[in-house]
Amino acid sequence: MRADARRNLGKIVEAAAEVVAERGVGAPMEAIAKRAGVGVGTLYRRFPDRDALIAAVGDHYIHTMADALDAADRGSADAWSAIWDFVCWVAEPGRAALSTALAVLPDEVIARRAEFARVRARWEERFDQVVRRAQAEGTMRRDVGVQDLIHLLNVFTCHPEDLPAPVAADPGRYLRLMLDGMKAGAATPAPSR
Amino acid sequence: MRADARRNLGKIVEAAAEVVAERGVGAPMEAIAKRAGVGVGTLYRRFPDRDALIAAVGDHYIHTMADALDAADRGSADAWSAIWDFVCWVAEPGRAALSTALAVLPDEVIARRAEFARVRARWEERFDQVVRRAQAEGTMRRDVGVQDLIHLLNVFTCHPEDLPAPVAADPGRYLRLMLDGMKAGAATPAPSR
DNA sequence: GCATAACCGGAATACGAGATTCCACTTATG
DNA sequence: CATAAGTGGAATCTCGTATTCCGGTTATGC
């Protein structure tokens, strides 16, 4: 592979990650090409079709995600702060939407990527352990689970076009609100009336 | 207007409300027609174009919404339960998605509907009063406002296709979680670390 | 019962958006 | 410098949906 071609490949995956973060997994090839500063033809020389390109972005990102969770876990005194830190990490600008975008990857795409599915499963399992630990430590409500956390993460870090502008501008604000509602003792006990 | 035509008109608006709730304001005319049990031609005989039909749905729904808020307010001892009850009302099955669908009505549509804009403004104002009252009563955090509540309502009652399935299946669960995070005292005071 | 103005369904048409292909034209590299 | 590798982006193909149109129905007044 020629040196300039390798350079372009890098630019393409990088651009794809950015554009997917902004517009979701349905982002048009042309938008990605423009962002990378290349023609659409170049995208198709490296990837057979858009699914392959999106999958490449996913492969890279899921690892980052798993690493961030591990780092938050290692770097925190207790499980609740680990969760808090990880959620804040996901909400950081430019990263937010990507995680969700990938959450809605079509099944066909995932099926052809055993690696992706495996890493994601490991991540979920790890996340679940942290959540259970937080509950055992008495800092987190017992009537919510890791799936609730994941769904809410997905909801708030959806690509900006599908969210009210203020939410897209600061998903962290709403994610923190959600965490506050998940703290032990925050639960509203009975039906309201 | 012939009797059968009037009957169809009713079926159309009703069907449109259902389909918009399920698929958002972008729902195809054909889906609405099928739901109403009529042909697309019939839709176009009553409404010049899809915007007009969607606007008609909005006109009707915004009134229902405003009334529900007033009812929740009148029927509750304190402002916080009024908010809680109203949020639960919005989250009720079949109603949920409609309110959000309308929140993203294109500006062109709204501009041609002074009535809609007026009722919606009155509703927001009323909602804001209740929120401020709850804060004055000491039951709600002071660092969140009515706009946060509205955004969250919009996010969670989005049409099902844009939400993780479990969230779409029970938006109330997640809205209640958010409300728990908005209660006075729920705020996490400082940065986590 | 009939004439007929209103209605109807839904096939046909018009479009816009975006994926994918193709090829004449560049540019690294041995 | 020869040439294989690489490139941009116009052209093509597909799809999903709005909108139009019209031959066939049906309510209604007489």
Side-chain angles (χ1 to χ4, degrees), chain A residues 75 84-85 141 143-144 148 151-152 155-156 162 164 166-167 173-174 177-178 180-183 186-188 192-193, chain B residues 75 84-85 141 143-144 148 151-152 155-156 162 164 166-167 173-174 177-178 180-183 186-188 192-193:
Chain A
W84 187 277
D85 291 348
R141 286 168 65 156
D143 59 347
V144 298
D148 291 315
H151 295 324
L152 289 171
V155 166
F156 286 111
D162 268 13
V167 178
R173 171 180 174 79
Y174 298 91
L177 216 48
M178 156 199 94
D180 284 336
M182 287 182 157
K183 282 192 299 197
T188 293
S192 71
R193 29 193 329 190
Chain B
W84 186 276
D85 290 348
R141 286 168 64 157
D143 58 348
V144 297
D148 290 314
H151 295 325
L152 288 171
V155 166
F156 285 106
D162 268 12
V167 177
R173 171 180 172 78
Y174 297 93
L177 211 51
M178 299 305 301
D180 283 337
M182 289 180 147
K183 283 191 297 199
T188 292
S192 71
R193 31 190 328 189

Side-chain angles (χ1 to χ4, degrees), chain A residues 2 8 38-39 41-42 45:
Chain A
R2 254 164 55 173
N8 273 344
V38 304
T42 304
R45 195 159 322 93

